[in-house]
Amino acid sequence: MNEKLKIKLSIADRVYPLTVDPSQEEGLRSASKKIDVMIKQFEQNYAVRDKQDVLAMCALQFASQLEQKQIEKTEDNQESLERLKKINDLLDNYLEK
């Protein structure tokens, strides 16, 4: 039986009660801390008057990081595929001799 945990996360000075799988707890707590750090950075570096604006900027930052990683992963996969094709061609040429 998969027990759920009841946890409370604080983000932008608000508490959010969640019921999660134990395997998710560490990731959620880490994400919550990263969001709060990013909020503080945005508030220190920009003239932001509203938490909503700061949260939107955080969401954009995290989403763009995720998108960039996906782009890089796709490029890495393409490079790997091209290398495998070259190796396959070399093996085919070697076996034909």
Side-chain angles (χ1 to χ4, degrees):
M1 185 165 150
N2 196 4
E3 298 273 333
K4 298 281 186 176
L5 289 177
K6 293 186 181 213
I7 64 172
K8 292 181 181 179
L9 297 179
S10 175
I11 300 172
D13 301 324
R14 292 182 80 174
V15 176
Y16 297 91
L18 299 172
T19 303
V20 301
D21 288 325
S23 62
Q24 294 177 307
E25 181 184 13
E26 184 179 354
L28 287 167
R29 290 193 187 279
S30 176
S32 171
K33 288 177 185 173
K34 287 180 181 180
I35 292 168
D36 277 334
V37 166
M38 192 176 288
I39 286 170
K40 287 183 178 89
Q41 288 174 342
F42 280 128
E43 288 176 335
Q44 289 172 355
N45 295 329
Y46 301 100
V48 181
R49 291 175 275 163
D50 186 6
K51 285 280 188 200
Q52 180 70 32
D53 293 337
V54 176
L55 290 169
M57 292 166 70
C58 287
L60 179 61
Q61 183 76 18
F62 281 117
S64 68
Q65 289 172 359
L66 180 62
E67 288 299 317
Q68 188 61 41
K69 285 181 183 179
Q70 289 288 52
I71 290 168
E72 290 168 3
K73 183 179 176 183
T74 300
E75 290 172 354
D76 288 345
N77 287 345
Q78 188 62 35
E79 282 181 30
S80 296
L81 184 60
E82 288 173 15
R83 287 181 182 166
L84 286 172
K85 285 179 181 178
K86 287 180 182 177
I87 291 171
N88 192 43
D89 290 345
L90 288 171
L91 286 172
D92 283 344
N93 288 337
Y94 178 77
L95 293 173
E96 289 176 358
K97 290 182 181 182

